[in-house]
Structures are given as C-alpha cells and as structure tokens.
Amino acid sequence: MYCGLGEDMQGHKGNENKAITIYDIAKEAGVSAATVSRVLTNSAGVRAEKRKKVMALVKKYNFKPNALAKGLSKTQSRMIGILAADIRNPYYAELFVSCEQAASEAGYNVLLANTLGDARREEMVLQMLLSQRAEAIIQIGGSVDDRFPDGNYVERINQIAATIPVVLAGKLSGTQCHSVCIDSRWTMEILMEHLLSLGHRRIAMLGGRMDVLSTWEKCERYKQILEEHQIPFDPELMPGDGTYNEVGGYRLMNRIFDQGLEFSAVIAVNDFTAAGVMRSIVEHGFCIPQDISVVSYDNTYMAEVSMPRLTSIDYGYKEFGRMLVETAVKAIEGQEGERLKVVKAKLAVRESSGPAR
C-alpha cells in the first residue's frame, strides 16, 4: 500500500540538498512508514506521542507531501497477504482458513502464496505481496521457523516491516515484527505428562529437523522431562530424518522395530508423521493403544479420521487465526499492541493413547 510514496513525499535534511523520503522520517521517528503516512493524512488511530514525534521531524526537515502522494496514501487495498510454507500440510491449511475467516469478519480479503520450502521463493513472494499492495503480511512457516535465521532474510523482513506490518506465526530473532507463537516446550510437557500418567517410561520421539526451532525446543524439553523423572535418555528412541510426513514416520518406526528397541509409546512430530508411524505399528502386528500408544502434534482433520483416532496437541486454530489477523489489523490502523502473543495449546485425548502394558 505504501510502496513508492517515498519518491513523491520529499523534504531536505537541514541545509543539505539531499531529498529525504517518508522512510527516512519513519526510521528517525522509530515508527513504520505506514504510521508516518497516516499522520501526514491526518488519519485516526495514531497515538498522540507518535503523531507529535513525526510532526516534529516533518517540521524539522520541511517535509512536504505532494497531492499525488496524499491521494495514494488514502488508497486502501483492504488486503492482507498470507505467506505459507506449504498449504498441502493440514496444519497450514487449518490455520490459513481460520485467518481467512477472521480477515473477512474484519472487512479484509486475503491473498495466499506458498513458498514450498524454498528460501528464494520466499523473497519472490514477499515482493509479489508488496507489489499487490498488501496492507500487512502474515507469515506462517518457512524461514520464520529457522533455529538459526539467515541474516540477509532478517534484514529483508525488517525492511518490509518498516513499510507495512509483518506478523509472524513464530519467532524470528533479529526482527521487530509482531509474533503470535506456540510455546513448544509447554506442549511437550502436556504430552509427556499424559504419557507418564499412563505408566509409560520408554517413549520414542520421531520426526523433524533440529534446525527448526520448534522441533529443537520440543526435543530438548523431552530430554529434560525424562531426566526430571530419572528416566535414562536413549538417543536411538529419538531419530530425526528431516521429514514431517507419513513417509518419514513410516521409515523411522520401521527402523526402531528393526533395531529391536523396547518402547511402549511414540510421540510423532505432527499428524502426518503419526500416520506413517501407525501404519508401521499395525504392519508389525501390534495394536494401538493396547500394545503401543501414539500421540502427536497439530490436531488436524487427520487426527479425527485415523484408526484409532489420534491423541494430538490442539492449537485452537480459530483463536490462533483470529490472533494473527487481529494483530495485523491493529498494526495497519496504527494501534499499539503486544509484540508477542502466545497461543494456548491443549491436548485432545482420543483412542490412540492408553495405559502402558
């Protein structure tokens, strides 16, 4: 929405001949370019303190927006761009639908784009959303999940966030973006408490990559909880192959059976992985949960249609999506809001988990 305004809104720094832009004003004031634009057009929703700071800089640099820029700044697309890692994954699909519904209720449309795990595609999609005049961007998955973020990507996100609000469904170190995230450590505590209360002690943790922050946090908390309960950690019961799908779950479960390891319960990194885990267990002649319990993450439709139905961590997608959109809309309107919000997860207990043998 605010791209290109800098070329039409110009002033001069003191006695210098160098023209400054709306982005220079925003940077010095410590606000977004969108906020500066709202101040210049006398729009509502900007705190008096910020308005005063911006106007002081406008006066200092004799910054005068022309009529064209004023007209552009009043144009609203009423569109929020949503960047998803891969909509084929039920987790992203569930969350996107919730965001779309919440945006509609707030009077906004959404534009969805998939990155498909390609960092270069993320950059292209971000640029596309800017060119389509999105008033805010919500990013779900992809680079925002990296345990060790790429510095160039962080810098690019910060550049965009200086122009329009960026809301992350996760945490990206080094950015000043709004975040709505899941407490991954807490979700592991919920799962482990459930399994331990059923008498399980040999618990496998399958799937995922250690360079994904949420997966790493889950695995670290898993090991800590074992130690707290004086249960030895067996690294062979925590194999990760870098996948989050049913093929990976099936392969990892087969590997554990082939090694002859003793276990009574499995935690799958997501419902996709759990599907492969359950297939392998059944093929090896065991019953779920009479012989082996299986629990998972995401509580997507797959948890309901599996046989038996799957015990899974639920993020409350409707509320999760509402929080993301509400954060974006408030930022668009220049309202102050929490920089970090945490999703309250709970455990949906179904037939796939039961007492240890």
Side-chain angles (χ1 to χ4, degrees):
M1 174 181 179
Y2 300 98
C3 296
L5 293 186
E7 297 177 359
D8 295 301
M9 293 179 159
Q10 298 182 346
H12 294 85
K13 288 188 177 182
N15 296 321
E16 298 176 16
N17 292 322
K18 179 184 176 183
I20 66 169
T21 70
I22 191 173
Y23 304 108
D24 296 318
I25 296 289
K27 184 176 181 180
E28 189 166 341
V31 300
S32 69
T35 297
V36 175
S37 179
R38 282 190 289 272
V39 171
L40 293 171
T41 55
N42 202 29
S43 301
V46 181
R47 291 179 61 185
E49 167 187 339
K50 289 185 176 181
R51 187 180 295 275
K52 183 178 179 181
K53 188 179 292 186
V54 169
M55 290 309 297
L57 290 169
V58 168
K59 183 177 180 180
K60 175 182 176 181
Y61 296 127
N62 191 30
F63 187 81
K64 292 185 172 74
N66 65 25
L68 173 61
K70 288 181 179 179
L72 287 172
S73 64
K74 289 180 181 177
T75 304
Q76 292 183 308
S77 66
R78 306 298 291 181
M79 190 263 286
I80 296 173
I82 298 182
L83 197 66
D86 191 340
I87 203 67
R88 293 171 297 185
N89 184 318
Y91 164 76
Y92 296 114
E94 293 268 12
L95 192 50
F96 167 71
V97 169
S98 297
C99 286
E100 186 175 34
Q101 291 172 338
S104 179
E105 291 171 6
Y108 284 80
N109 295 311
V110 296
L111 177 59
L112 171 68
N114 282 291
T115 62
L116 306 176
D118 186 335
R120 289 176 299 177
R121 182 174 171 80
E122 281 190 45
E123 174 66 27
M124 292 170 54
V125 169
L126 286 168
Q127 189 57 47
M128 180 273 291
L129 292 175
L130 286 173
S131 68
Q132 293 293 318
R133 296 174 47 250
E135 295 193 55
I137 293 174
I138 295 173
Q139 182 162 0
I140 306 168
S143 294
V144 301
D145 289 337
D146 288 349
R147 183 178 163 199
F148 305 108
D150 177 79
N152 292 329
Y153 189 79
V154 170
E155 183 179 354
R156 179 58 177 147
I157 289 292
N158 281 331
Q159 289 173 350
I160 294 171
T163 308
I164 63 173
V166 177
V167 182
L168 309 176
K171 294 175 287 187
L172 185 62
S173 300
T175 68
Q176 299 301 313
C177 301
H178 293 275
S179 293
V180 179
C181 64
I182 297 162
D183 186 340
S184 299
R185 295 177 185 272
W186 167 242
T187 61
M188 180 54 72
E189 290 177 23
I190 298 173
L191 280 178
M192 288 294 283
E193 180 183 345
H194 175 66
L195 292 174
L196 291 168
S197 71
L198 291 171
H200 296 281
R201 292 297 179 270
R202 294 284 291 176
I203 303 169
M205 171 71 196
L206 303 187
R209 302 198 319 266
M210 290 302 105
D211 61 345
V212 173
L213 180 60
S214 60
T215 302
W216 179 80
E217 289 179 338
K218 291 168 187 172
C219 291
E220 286 300 297
R221 190 66 188 115
Y222 160 82
K223 291 188 284 187
Q224 291 168 0
I225 293 170
L226 289 176
E227 184 178 354
E228 290 166 7
H229 287 80
Q230 299 181 328
I231 301 172
F233 167 63
D234 184 348
E236 292 184 321
L237 287 178
M238 196 181 76
D241 65 348
T243 64
Y244 292 82
N245 57 39
E246 71 283 5
V247 175
Y250 181 71
R251 181 169 55 241
L252 291 173
M253 194 73 259
N254 284 341
R255 183 191 305 174
I256 287 181
F257 278 123
D258 291 343
Q259 291 174 317
L261 301 176
E262 181 186 342
F263 66 100
S264 64
V266 177
I267 298 173
V269 75
N270 63 11
D271 293 344
F272 252 176
T273 301
V277 167
M278 295 170 80
R279 176 187 163 201
S280 173
I281 290 172
V282 171
E283 286 184 358
H284 280 83
F286 294 96
C287 295
I288 305 170
Q290 292 85 351
D291 299 316
I292 300 170
S293 288
V294 180
V295 298
S296 180
Y297 280 89
D298 294 355
N299 197 34
T300 63
Y301 73 88
M302 295 183 69
E304 282 285 359
V305 301
S306 65
M307 292 293 289
R309 296 189 310 153
L310 185 61
T311 294
S312 187
I313 289 288
D314 178 58
Y315 306 125
Y317 290 103
K318 184 174 182 179
E319 178 63 11
F320 194 174
R322 186 196 64 77
M323 289 171 68
L324 286 165
V325 171
E326 184 180 84
T327 301
V329 171
K330 283 185 175 180
I332 290 170
E333 295 174 350
Q335 299 180 38
E336 283 294 319
E338 298 174 76
R339 283 285 169 180
L340 175 64
K341 294 181 180 179
V342 180
V343 174
K344 296 185 182 299
K346 63 181 181 180
L347 183 62
V349 179
R350 300 189 181 89
E351 297 83 17
S352 71
S353 56
R357 289 173 297 183

